[in-house]
Amino acid sequence: MGGSADELEGDKAGDPFWVLRLIGYPGKSPANSQTNHIGCGIHTDYGLLTLINQDDDITALEIKNLSGEWIAATPIPGTFVCNIGDMLKIWSNGLYEATLHRVINNSPKYRVCVAYFYEPNFDKLVEPLELFVEKSGRARLDQKAVYGEHLVNKVKNNFVMEELN
Ligand SMILES: O=C(O)CCC(=O)C(=O)O
Ligand SMILES: [Fe+2]
């Protein structure tokens, strides 16, 4: 990113609120021709970086591209998907974009994903860093958040069963 190697250490992410989550998505029942309604709703990740290890043989994770279209994050064996989270977007003054994504498992197979969320310190007030305001060459983003409060608010809204289309 162009900062020092320990740019995010100390009070920023020196005591990261990391989480490793195993997530299971039931497959679509053969009797049901409709889109599976159990998945993960549209969201951006909350923290810094997420590493996703997904089943190799099921395409279910979708990303919204800059044209507003949903595109599949087709699994590439031996690789992780890396998502930018909301806090990295703010710290980098928008140089890094937190990408919208969702999960719909329309395969008949149960899908498993292992997601590692690398997050800032829980109580950290996150605001654009001067370094990235200069580097991005754009106006300072009018965004800031205490990471822990942001996390709790988003978890309350994201993990519900809902219509996915
Ligand atoms: O299951 C996946 O591939 C992604 C899950 C996800 O986006 C999340 O837990 O934040
Ligand atoms: Fe996510």
Side-chain angles (χ1 to χ4, degrees):
M1 293 173 67
S4 63
D6 59 358
E7 195 64 49
L8 299 180
E9 290 294 328
D11 71 339
K12 299 192 190 77
D15 181 21
F17 192 74
W18 64 267
V19 180
L20 183 72
R21 202 184 288 143
L22 280 174
I23 311 167
Y25 301 88
K28 197 172 75 165
S29 100
N32 182 359
S33 59
Q34 288 180 338
T35 298
N36 200 343
H37 288 170
I38 304 172
C40 186
I42 300 168
H43 67 283
T44 53
D45 288 350
Y46 333 125
L48 271 170
L49 283 174
T50 311
L51 296 178
I52 303 275
N53 184 354
Q54 47 177 340
D55 276 340
D56 284 346
D57 55 346
I58 301 171
T59 298
L61 175 60
E62 296 179 350
I63 316 285
K64 200 172 214 181
N65 70 13
L66 284 176
S67 316
E69 299 152 340
W70 287 104
I71 55 169
T74 308
I76 302 171
T79 69
F80 293 92
V81 173
C82 181
N83 286 335
I84 306 285
D86 299 332
M87 299 300 105
L88 188 50
K89 175 178 181 171
I90 296 178
W91 263 334
S92 72
N93 199 43
L95 203 56
Y96 289 81
E97 186 57 63
T99 320
L100 276 171
H101 52 283
R102 67 182 180 187
V103 182
I104 307 173
N105 181 14
N106 276 324
S107 140
K109 279 181 62 179
Y110 195 94
R111 172 182 184 266
V112 176
C113 139
V114 183
Y116 175 74
F117 297 89
Y118 171 53
E119 314 287 89
N121 295 1
F122 195 80
D123 297 320
K124 181 64 184 169
L125 172 63
V126 177
E127 299 176 274
L129 292 171
E130 204 48 51
L131 168 73
F132 296 110
V133 174
E134 283 164 29
K135 214 173 147 60
S136 65
R138 45 177 115 156
R140 179 182 291 273
L141 279 184
D142 186 21
Q143 287 180 25
K144 60 178 171 182
V146 173
Y147 166 67
E149 291 173 5
H150 181 72
L151 168 73
V152 170
N153 288 336
K154 284 193 78 167
V155 166
K156 277 198 218 148
N157 295 323
N158 275 351
F159 291 95
V160 289
M161 289 166 80
E162 59 176 316
E163 296 276 336
L164 289 170
N165 61 353

